[in-house]
Amino acid sequence: EVQLVESGGGLVQPGRSLKLSCAASGFTFSNYYMAWVRQAPKKGLEWVATISTSGSRTYYPDSVKGRFTISRDNAKSSLYLQMNSLKSEDTATYYCASRGNSGYGYWGQGVMVTVSS
Amino acid sequence: DIQMTQSPSFLSASVGERVTLSCRASQNINKYLDWYQQKLGEAPKLLIYNTNNLHTGIPSRFSGSGSGTDYTLTISSLQPEDVATYFCLQRNSWRMDTFGAGTKLELK
């Protein structure tokens, strides 16, 4: 059974940092591009970051570029999102997902990040 | 950047009715268009990828079509369990993925 389990969320003050993790199992993690997608409360989905299979290529939208860093450890089947200089508008549920040529096939259950003083 | 416009934002339909949801891209996305279903309190789920390919385990009442900038998700006979918000996603480039704002589908 495929599982993606996010962790590391919580309440953080504006300007501070937080690191999310995503533990993958049930599929060959190293064969997949991976991504983070977020959803602000009662809002739509927003793509946050993508990383290649080796980790050598990363992509971000302008809204997080320079503040967020996606990384992976294929030996541990784990995906990470380092979030720095957090803003109130970063408050959202963050999902990790596999990103392949056939779409975002696998999703985690999500982890909540609240940025507030 | 590619913008995605979904319509309608809200749709109310009856059980058994044929339902059509639309998604328009601001430029040609070469059929790299997916549809995702998100039920209340759950993670999104892939329904259709690359315009018209049904993901594993998805009922055949769901289908997709389109090309260029205009794409459609059709539910041939709406079922109660289809109540959800539906998002389109363009993946024309590895550098930037864009979701539509979503269509909330409810039962009449």
Side-chain angles (χ1 to χ4, degrees):
Chain A
E1 179 195 5
V2 169
Q3 278 199 316
L4 291 170
V5 180
E6 301 95 338
S7 60
L11 174 64
V12 61
Q13 293 179 328
R16 302 298 291 267
S17 299
L18 201 63
K19 186 173 184 177
L20 305 182
S21 300
C22 172
S25 60
F27 67 106
T28 307
F29 179 78
S30 58
N31 287 352
Y32 286 79
Y33 275 55
M34 296 295 295
W36 288 96
V37 174
R38 69 183 180 184
Q39 187 170 37
K42 300 197 180 300
K43 299 294 186 182
L45 301 171
E46 180 187 14
W47 165 72
V48 171
T50 297
I51 188 167
S52 63
T53 51
S54 67
S56 61
R57 293 183 297 278
T58 58
Y59 309 101
Y60 308 90
D62 288 344
S63 58
V64 307
K65 195 175 296 182
R67 299 188 300 123
F68 288 12
T69 302
I70 187 173
S71 61
R72 66 190 297 161
D73 185 336
N74 286 339
K76 295 182 177 180
S77 294
S78 292
L79 179 72
Y80 306 100
L81 185 68
Q82 176 68 46
M83 303 184 293
N84 298 333
S85 303
L86 282 162
K87 307 175 182 180
S88 58
E89 52 262 43
D90 296 319
T91 294
T93 296
Y94 285 73
Y95 297 98
C96 72
S98 63
R99 197 245 192 238
N101 291 324
S102 305
Y104 286 62
Y106 307 134
W107 292 73
Q109 84 287 351
V111 62
M112 185 68 199
V113 172
T114 302
V115 183
S116 175
S117 54
Chain B
D1 295 356
I2 298 175
Q3 309 302 319
M4 303 300 294
T5 303
Q6 278 189 251
S7 61
S9 300
F10 177 85
L11 182 59
S12 180
S14 303
V15 172
E17 188 174 338
R18 182 181 181 89
V19 171
T20 300
L21 283 59
S22 297
C23 190
R24 173 167 289 176
S26 58
Q27 64 190 68
N28 182 11
I29 55 172
N30 299 300
K31 295 193 173 185
Y32 288 106
L33 189 285
D34 306 332
W35 291 96
Y36 296 82
Q37 177 193 65
Q38 187 179 32
K39 296 183 178 180
L40 196 63
E42 298 184 5
K45 180 174 75 171
L46 175 63
L47 295 177
I48 289 174
Y49 63 92
N50 297 345
T51 296
N52 55 11
N53 296 277
L54 211 59
H55 185 55
T56 305
I58 302 302
S60 58
R61 65 179 180 273
F62 291 93
S63 64
S65 64
S67 64
T69 61
D70 293 321
Y71 298 84
T72 299
L73 171 69
T74 300
I75 307 173
S76 61
S77 177
L78 186 67
Q79 300 302 303
E81 60 267 31
D82 300 335
V83 169
T85 300
Y86 293 82
F87 296 94
C88 63
L89 168 72
Q90 72 80 20
R91 293 182 292 108
N92 188 52
S93 167
W94 289 105
R95 299 182 177 277
M96 172 76 71
D97 293 344
T98 313
F99 286 93
T103 294
K104 187 174 184 180
L105 178 59
E106 293 191 352
L107 286 180
K108 190 179 292 182

